[in-house]
Amino acid sequence: MTLSIWCEPTAGTVAVGLRLAGLPRLIGYQGAKWGYADAILHHMGLVPGSGVDTLMLADISPGWQGCWRGLAQPGCAHAAGEIVEAWRDHYGSDAPVHYRACWDEQLAIYRAKGIEPTPMGVARWLVLIALSAMQRGPDAGPAIGYDPAWKTWPSKTKPTPTCGTVSVGKRLMAWPEVPPTILVWDRADLIPPTAGAYVMFDPPYENCQGYESGTLSRSMMLHLADRWAHVGATCVGIMEGEAMPGYDSVDLTIRRKGTTPHWGRSTKEILSLHPHCAGAT
């Protein structure tokens, strides 16, 4: 059965929502929660890939906002994928110099125009993310260049696949022609709480490194979680480095799928479920 509403008020790159919807990740690193998505959904009573009618998102960067608003339009993902493939032919994809040429030109356009919710805007944003250092976005700088110290294959002749544009176009082509409804707000507190929704907060962990556009305080997050529970949300979850007082919590730290990030797992991954939701047991 397809879920009606999935909401991520602190969405980041919407890793868990994509996994629920059965959509492929768009870049190699689709956020830290991609590896925990299945465990999160399981403990919220959901099945990965079961589908969702509407994604409600907020607290994401302007670039991702433009990207998601574009991808919400029928046919946009496929058209963006065709643009990425055309760029591969135009710039080349056999050496770091080719990727650097793509980065430099597309970055200049991004600085001048931002990311518009169009196939061109979607293609530009995802390619800049894919080519950026640690896939953190344009402000992080390029992960490729003329210096042999940049990431390469062991042979030192080709860029790593995660830094290239090869997979971006194919992943966009794998999106459905008609995607789920995607609604985007500037801030988490602007999303109207809705009965029956499933909600997951993934804010900047307290006393840990934050992320772009992640400014929601813990006190405000707990207030918003109460608002969602009060209107009849089926389930409200909070991912943090510690359990939320009064919530039903489970430690998911060792439940990650895939490789462990290079920075290790010094921070715990705790899912806390609001006790007063319609679906709480």
Side-chain angles (χ1 to χ4, degrees):
M1 180 179 177
T2 300
L3 183 68
S4 178
I5 297 174
W6 171 264
C7 178
E8 291 190 41
T10 48
T13 53
V14 201
V16 183
L18 290 183
R19 189 73 183 96
L20 171 65
L23 298 172
R25 58 186 179 185
L26 295 164
I27 51 178
Y29 178 68
Q30 192 77 41
K33 291 303 176 292
W34 185 265
Y36 294 101
D38 285 11
I40 291 169
L41 293 170
H42 170 75
H43 283 283
M44 293 181 73
L46 299 171
V47 178
S50 57
V52 60
D53 293 329
T54 301
L55 293 168
M56 303 172 75
L57 315 174
D59 203 14
I60 50 183
S61 70
W64 275 113
Q65 285 189 32
C67 180
W68 293 123
R69 286 178 172 136
L71 289 171
Q73 303 170 35
C76 180
H78 290 192
E82 291 174 354
I83 290 171
V84 174
E85 293 300 300
W87 284 346
R88 286 185 60 216
D89 294 335
H90 173 71
Y91 293 106
S93 58
D94 295 325
V97 63
H98 298 151
Y99 289 85
R100 184 57 188 259
C102 178
W103 167 273
D104 288 342
E105 186 168 328
Q106 296 307 318
L107 180 67
I109 299 173
Y110 162 72
R111 296 293 189 209
K113 300 176 61 177
I115 297 298
E116 300 171 327
T118 63
M120 183 65 72
V122 169
R124 179 169 296 121
W125 178 249
L126 292 177
V127 164
L128 287 173
I129 291 285
L131 295 178
S132 66
M134 296 179 67
Q135 299 194 352
R136 291 182 178 273
D139 292 337
I144 34 73
Y146 305 113
D147 188 330
W150 292 111
K151 284 187 175 182
T152 60
W153 286 101
S155 65
K156 303 295 182 183
T157 59
K158 293 183 179 180
T160 58
T162 55
C163 293
T165 60
V166 176
S167 62
V168 173
K170 293 180 178 179
R171 286 168 173 166
L172 284 165
M173 296 287 195
W175 270 54
E177 183 70 20
V178 180
T181 298
I182 303 176
L183 305 176
V184 181
W185 286 263
D186 291 336
R187 301 195 319 265
D189 61 320
L190 298 179
I191 305 178
T194 307
Y198 282 72
V199 187
M200 193 202 76
F201 290 87
D202 182 28
Y205 287 10
E206 198 155 273
N207 300 319
C208 294
Q209 181 179 355
Y211 57 86
E212 184 181 13
S213 297
T215 58
L216 190 67
S217 67
R218 177 174 292 185
S219 60
M220 176 57 73
M221 175 188 65
L222 292 173
H223 170 69
L224 294 178
D226 287 341
R227 282 179 54 190
W228 280 92
H230 179 72
V231 302
T234 302
C235 186
V236 177
I238 295 174
M239 286 296 297
E240 244 286 14
E242 60 187 24
M244 296 296 100
Y247 281 54
D248 301 317
S249 301
V250 57
D251 189 342
L252 301 181
T253 307
I254 65 171
R255 297 285 300 279
R256 178 184 174 88
K257 288 188 174 182
T259 57
T260 300
H262 74 278
W263 56 85
R265 285 261 42 98
S266 58
T267 302
K268 286 186 174 293
E269 297 287 352
I270 308 294
L271 173 63
S272 297
L273 301 178
H274 200 292
H276 298 141
C277 290
T281 56

